[in-house]
Amino acid sequence: AKSTGKSRAIAYKDTLRIQMYRRQEVESALKEAVKNHDIYPVFQSYHDILTGTCLGFEALARWCHKELGPIGPDEFIPTAETTGDIINLGALILDDACLEAAGWREKASVSVNLSTVQFLRPGLVKDVSNALAKSRLEPSRLKLEVTESVLISDKVRTLSILQELQKTGTRIVLDDFGTGYSSLSYLVQFPWDEIKIDRSFVETAGTYAEMQNVVSMVVRIASQLGAVVTIEGIETEAQRALFSGFGCHMAQGYFYGRPQKLDKLPGLVDQRATL
Ligand code: C2E
Ligand code: CA
Ligand code: CA
Ligand code: CA
């Protein structure tokens, strides 16, 4: 038993070493990737939950390194946040997304994720204005998604940044509601245009009545605030129907489509041309 414990400890150390090595590899490849524009957005549609009409697309960052292979945003975004590369990376995705969306039919919007590091940095509003100016995208067609982590830092500062962003004409979205430090008070303390309920609710809503109550309550509060509610991670028609019944306005998920390179997907291109 003693030797098993020992070998387990060695295996654990090896795992840590591999993880650290991987992290360093990703870290050192990042700057180059941003500079060479190897990181780019793919787009996942979101829809009117009742009619199925496509209302726009969320930009999701992708990176395929020539030696390391595909690296997911759940890995490289946190790394970019610690190295500071998130600033240039974030601006790159924002620019790309706005340029792409400027070619879509008039009403389709584009939604871009903002990292908390990017959000709390003074240059953000300028980056947003620049992206809008370069692309000539109507500001009302740009949505900016932030997560609850921006709300727990400095509420006064966060509120003023959100208001500044809204002054540019863009819309602000609370992403991943229902995870982490979620609180219903976050809904009323900030001027959201949209609230996205996290995918974890879809996985449990069928089994837990209290989940259903929470979703219905979020919808009620949002409606009073004039905000719309999107449910994320819809994979089946049954889930769509369920959350439609709870009053959600929009839906996103594999049921409608996976994130895609728009120019590589004739179906979506046709769709966006005729929408
Ligand atoms: P998120 O903003 O919550 O994005 C939704 C994630 O759920 C995406 O993962 C998407 O591919 C996935 N998803 C969508 N529909 C379904 C579904 O029906 N079922 C399942 N199982 N998954 C679904 P992805 O693209 O791997 O992105 C992960 C996270 O990385 C994002 O979560 C976001 O927080 C972050 N991220 C991605 N791109 C960017 C970016 O450009 N900037 C920043 N700051 N963060 C980004
Ligand atoms: Ca998002
Ligand atoms: Ca989300
Ligand atoms: Ca998420």
Side-chain angles (χ1 to χ4, degrees), residues 30-44:
L30 247 179
K31 209 172 295 297
E32 192 75 1
V34 175
K35 204 178 76 205
N36 297 343
H37 213 141
D38 292 338
I39 301 179
Y40 56 89
V42 292
F43 295 89
Q44 186 183 32

Side-chain angles (χ1 to χ4, degrees), residues 145 175-176 198 232:
E145 303 191 5
D175 197 6
D176 295 348
D198 192 71
E232 296 188 293

Side-chain angles (χ1 to χ4, degrees), residues 44 58 61-62 73-74 93 113 115 175-176 199 233 235 253-254 259:
Q44 186 183 32
E58 177 177 2
R62 290 293 179 269
D74 282 331
I93 297 293
N113 294 285
S115 140
D175 197 6
D176 295 348
R199 178 156 64 80
E235 296 185 352
Y254 296 166

Side-chain angles (χ1 to χ4, degrees), residues 58-60 111-113 145-147 173 175-176 196 232 252:
E58 177 177 2
L60 293 159
S111 211
V112 177
N113 294 285
E145 303 191 5
V146 299
T147 59
V173 180
D175 197 6
D176 295 348
K196 289 182 103 167
E232 296 188 293
Q252 187 176 356

Side-chain angles (χ1 to χ4, degrees), residues 197-263:
I197 299 179
D198 192 71
R199 178 156 64 80
S200 54
F201 277 82
V202 178
E203 287 154 4
T204 43
T207 29
Y208 296 106
E210 65 260 31
M211 288 287 186
Q212 303 181 8
N213 292 336
V214 172
V215 174
S216 304
M217 181 146 47
V218 170
V219 169
R220 262 202 315 278
I221 295 174
S223 299
Q224 276 167 20
L225 300 172
V228 296
V229 175
T230 299
I231 182 69
E232 296 188 293
I234 292 295
E235 296 185 352
T236 67
E237 162 57 26
Q239 291 168 344
R240 185 211 62 77
L242 186 66
F243 283 85
S244 180
F246 294 161
C248 293
H249 308 99
M250 298 199 287
Q252 187 176 356
Y254 296 166
F255 174 64
Y256 300 99
R258 300 211 169 219
Q260 306 279 3
K261 286 188 193 178
L262 287 181
D263 53 333

Side-chain angles (χ1 to χ4, degrees), residues 22-274:
R22 164 78 178 183
R23 179 116 188 165
Q24 280 164 6
E25 271 187 325
V26 170
E27 244 181 62
S28 54
L30 247 179
K31 209 172 295 297
E32 192 75 1
V34 175
K35 204 178 76 205
N36 297 343
H37 213 141
D38 292 338
I39 301 179
Y40 56 89
V42 292
F43 295 89
Q44 186 183 32
S45 59
Y46 40 84
H47 299 254
D48 183 309
I49 201 167
L50 280 174
T51 65
T53 306
C54 172
L55 300 173
F57 297 86
E58 177 177 2
L60 293 159
R62 290 293 179 269
W63 180 20
C64 187
H65 189 268
K66 48 188 184 310
E67 276 125 40
L68 300 172
I71 304 170
D74 282 331
E75 182 174 7
F76 69 75
I77 298 284
T79 305
E81 285 175 333
T82 53
T83 59
D85 289 308
I86 191 66
I87 302 305
N88 289 330
L89 171 54
L92 183 94
I93 297 293
L94 188 62
D95 282 354
D96 281 359
C98 290
L99 284 167
E100 178 63 49
W104 299 341
R105 64 143 188 166
E106 253 167 72
K107 277 193 213 148
S109 56
V110 68
S111 211
V112 177
N113 294 285
L114 297 182
S115 140
T116 299
V117 175
Q118 200 184 353
F119 182 84
L120 294 172
R121 178 183 153 271
L124 173 70
V125 178
K126 214 176 99 212
D127 284 353
V128 170
S129 312
N130 283 345
L132 289 169
K134 273 190 262 182
S135 62
R136 314 190 70 184
L137 180 72
E138 299 90 325
S140 62
R141 291 176 53 203
L142 176 61
K143 304 200 280 187
L144 301 168
E145 303 191 5
V146 299
T147 59
E148 288 152 355
S149 55
V150 306
L151 310 179
I152 52 174
S153 44
D154 178 343
K155 291 209 170 95
V156 176
R157 178 140 167 249
T158 293
L159 181 60
S160 98
I161 298 170
L162 289 173
Q163 286 168 337
E164 264 193 82
L165 288 173
Q166 272 179 330
K167 269 190 229 150
T168 68
T170 61
R171 287 179 281 164
I172 52 168
V173 180
L174 176 58
D175 197 6
D176 295 348
F177 184 83
T179 59
Y181 307 91
S182 279
S183 152
L184 287 173
S185 72
Y186 291 156
L187 299 183
V188 292
Q189 284 175 23
F190 303 94
W192 307 115
D193 297 298
E194 179 179 337
I195 294 144
K196 289 182 103 167
I197 299 179
D198 192 71
R199 178 156 64 80
S200 54
F201 277 82
V202 178
E203 287 154 4
T204 43
T207 29
Y208 296 106
E210 65 260 31
M211 288 287 186
Q212 303 181 8
N213 292 336
V214 172
V215 174
S216 304
M217 181 146 47
V218 170
V219 169
R220 262 202 315 278
I221 295 174
S223 299
Q224 276 167 20
L225 300 172
V228 296
V229 175
T230 299
I231 182 69
E232 296 188 293
I234 292 295
E235 296 185 352
T236 67
E237 162 57 26
Q239 291 168 344
R240 185 211 62 77
L242 186 66
F243 283 85
S244 180
F246 294 161
C248 293
H249 308 99
M250 298 199 287
Q252 187 176 356
Y254 296 166
F255 174 64
Y256 300 99
R258 300 211 169 219
Q260 306 279 3
K261 286 188 193 178
L262 287 181
D263 53 333
K264 293 278 159 64
L265 208 104
L268 268 185
V269 175
D270 287 353
Q271 197 185 1
R272 70 185 163 144
T274 55

